[in-house]
Amino acid sequence: YNVELANEDNSSTSIASKLRITPGTLTTAVSLLEKKGYLVRNKDTKDKRVVRIRTTHLGKEAQASHIKFHEEMVDDILSVLDP
């Protein structure tokens, strides 16, 4: 799944819901991605109970590379199939 984090509703609860996973599972994944420098977590300025997640520059580069890899893989597979 590709969840866009550059929108207004990028709370951890909203992202977990979109991915159909528990908030605890998301927290584990986000912790790893944050440690690698792909994401950052910040408390919401209006509601300190809400955690906002956004991608870093490094995370956006990794996502673009991942998308390109999959597009090339699909192209390679389709190129050997009969029309």
Side-chain angles (χ1 to χ4, degrees):
Y1 291 100
N2 180 22
V3 176
E4 181 60 49
L5 298 178
N7 61 32
E8 291 180 27
D9 194 13
N10 58 357
S11 69
S12 57
T13 303
S14 172
I15 293 169
S17 176
K18 289 175 186 175
L19 293 173
R20 297 183 180 133
I21 60 174
T22 66
T25 299
L26 180 71
T27 298
T28 301
V30 168
S31 293
L32 178 62
L33 293 169
E34 186 177 38
K35 187 175 182 178
K36 292 182 176 188
Y38 296 134
L39 301 174
V40 292
R41 284 186 272 205
N42 295 302
K43 295 279 186 183
D44 186 275
T45 56
K46 296 177 184 171
D47 186 346
K48 298 296 182 190
R49 297 169 298 171
V50 176
V51 176
R52 300 285 175 192
I53 300 170
R54 68 175 180 83
T55 54
T56 63
H57 180 71
L58 182 62
K60 290 174 184 174
E61 287 179 346
Q63 181 182 21
S65 177
H66 181 78
I67 290 169
K68 182 180 177 191
F69 168 79
H70 279 276
E71 288 172 348
E72 290 173 355
M73 182 179 64
V74 168
D75 289 344
D76 288 346
I77 291 168
L78 293 177
S79 71
V80 298
L81 298 176
D82 290 331

